[in-house]
Amino acid sequence: MPGGVKRVDRTFPAGEYHAMMVLYLVRYAAVIVFGVALGFLSAIPAGAVQIQVVKFSLKGRWRTALAVALGSGTSDMVYGLLTLFGLGTFMMSDRFQICFYMAGVVVLCYLLYRSVRDYRNPVPEQGGGKGRRAQRRGFIAGLMLAATNPSIVLWWIVGFKVFLDFGLFPEVTIPLRIAFVCAGAGGLAGYLAFLTFLITRFHRNFNDKTLRSMNLSLIVIYVFLTAYFIYKLMQYAG
C-alpha cells in the first residue's frame, strides 16, 4: 500500500465467527425459554386476572378474555422494564404502594359491582363477545388488575437473579434485560391465553346453574380481595 502502511485485518475467521453466532443465539434462546417457562408457571395460581379470564371464557366471550390477558401481559411487561432498568426500589416505596392499593380498591369495587349485577341478572352471551367496546374494557380491566399488584416487582427481581446465576452471560446488557422481560410477560399472557382456549373449548358443558355458582364464587373472592386491599392501604397509610 502507498507509504508502506500495512492494512490490518480485524475480521474473525469464518469458523470462529459462526461459532460465536451460534453461542449468541443459544444464549438468547435460553433467555426466551427460561422467561416463558417462568412466566407460564407463575401465572397458574388463581388471582384476580385469572378470575376475569375464566368468567368471560365461561360465557363464550373468548375475545374479551384474550383482551384481559393482553392487558395483564402489558402491565407485567411495563413493571418488568421499570424494575430491571432501576426503578424497582421506587415502586416498593410506601407512597407508591398507597397509590396503587387505592387504585386496586376502586377497580375491585367496580368488578364486584359487575359480578353482582351478572349474578342477579344472568344473560347468556355466546359467540365471542360484544365487540370492540367489550374488548377495550377487558384490556383495561386486565391492565389495571395487574397494575394493582406491585409485588410483581419482587417476581422480576428474583426471576432475573436466578437466571443470571446460570452464568450464561458475562455481563448484563440492555438487550438481555429487554429479552427477559418480553419472554416473562409472554409466558404470563400465554398461560392466560391457553386458559381461555381450554375453557372456551368446553364451556358448553357448563349449565346456567354452574355459571351462577361461578359468579357467586367471584363475588366472594372479590369481597375478600377488596377487604385485603383496604387493609394493606390502611397499613401503608398508617
Side-chain angles (χ1 to χ4, degrees):
M1 294 183 66
V5 178
K6 295 183 179 180
R7 184 176 180 179
V8 179
D9 187 4
R10 295 183 181 276
T11 60
F12 294 102
E16 184 178 346
Y17 174 78
H18 289 304
M20 290 177 61
M21 288 300 299
V22 170
L23 180 60
Y24 179 84
L25 293 175
V26 168
R27 285 174 172 174
Y28 274 91
V31 175
I32 294 173
V33 171
F34 182 87
V36 170
L38 182 64
F40 192 94
L41 294 175
S42 299
I44 292 177
V49 175
Q50 288 86 340
I51 293 169
Q52 281 295 100
V53 169
V54 170
K55 179 180 177 180
F56 287 124
S57 299
L58 284 176
K59 293 181 178 182
R61 297 171 57 183
W62 60 271
R63 289 189 178 91
T64 306
L66 287 178
V68 174
L70 181 60
S72 174
T74 301
S75 177
D76 291 333
M77 181 179 294
V78 171
Y79 263 126
L81 290 173
L82 293 176
T83 300
L84 297 190
F85 282 91
L87 293 178
T89 303
F90 167 73
M91 289 188 293
M92 294 303 294
S93 65
D94 289 352
R95 188 170 298 179
F96 188 87
Q97 297 278 338
I98 289 173
C99 293
F100 271 83
Y101 276 117
M102 287 178 64
V105 170
V106 173
V107 172
L108 288 170
C109 285
Y110 172 73
L111 294 175
L112 176 60
Y113 160 75
R114 292 290 299 269
S115 295
V116 171
R117 189 182 67 176
D118 289 347
Y119 177 75
R120 296 179 62 181
N121 303 291
V123 179
E125 300 175 41
Q126 305 293 335
K130 292 183 176 180
R132 293 185 178 180
R133 184 177 180 183
Q135 293 163 30
R136 285 196 297 268
R137 287 182 175 179
F139 178 84
I140 293 173
L143 185 73
M144 296 185 70
L145 277 174
T148 54
N149 179 28
S151 60
I152 192 71
V153 171
L154 296 176
W155 181 87
W156 283 113
I157 293 174
V158 173
F160 193 57
K161 179 63 170 62
V162 170
F163 177 77
L164 292 179
D165 287 343
F166 288 112
L168 296 177
F169 288 82
E171 60 179 338
V172 179
T173 62
I174 292 178
L176 171 60
R177 295 175 182 177
I178 294 176
F180 184 84
V181 170
C182 291
L188 288 163
Y191 170 78
L192 297 175
F194 171 75
L195 187 64
T196 298
F197 168 78
L198 191 65
I199 295 178
T200 302
R201 177 68 176 80
F202 298 103
H203 81 277
R204 297 183 186 277
N205 298 330
F206 298 95
N207 53 34
D208 292 340
K209 185 177 180 180
T210 303
L211 292 175
R212 283 182 62 85
S213 299
M214 183 66 189
N215 265 325
L216 182 60
S217 299
L218 288 171
I219 292 171
V220 173
I221 293 172
Y222 281 139
V223 168
F224 172 79
L225 288 175
T226 303
Y228 173 76
F229 272 53
I230 292 175
Y231 165 74
K232 293 296 291 184
L233 178 61
M234 294 176 64
Q235 189 179 46
Y236 280 105

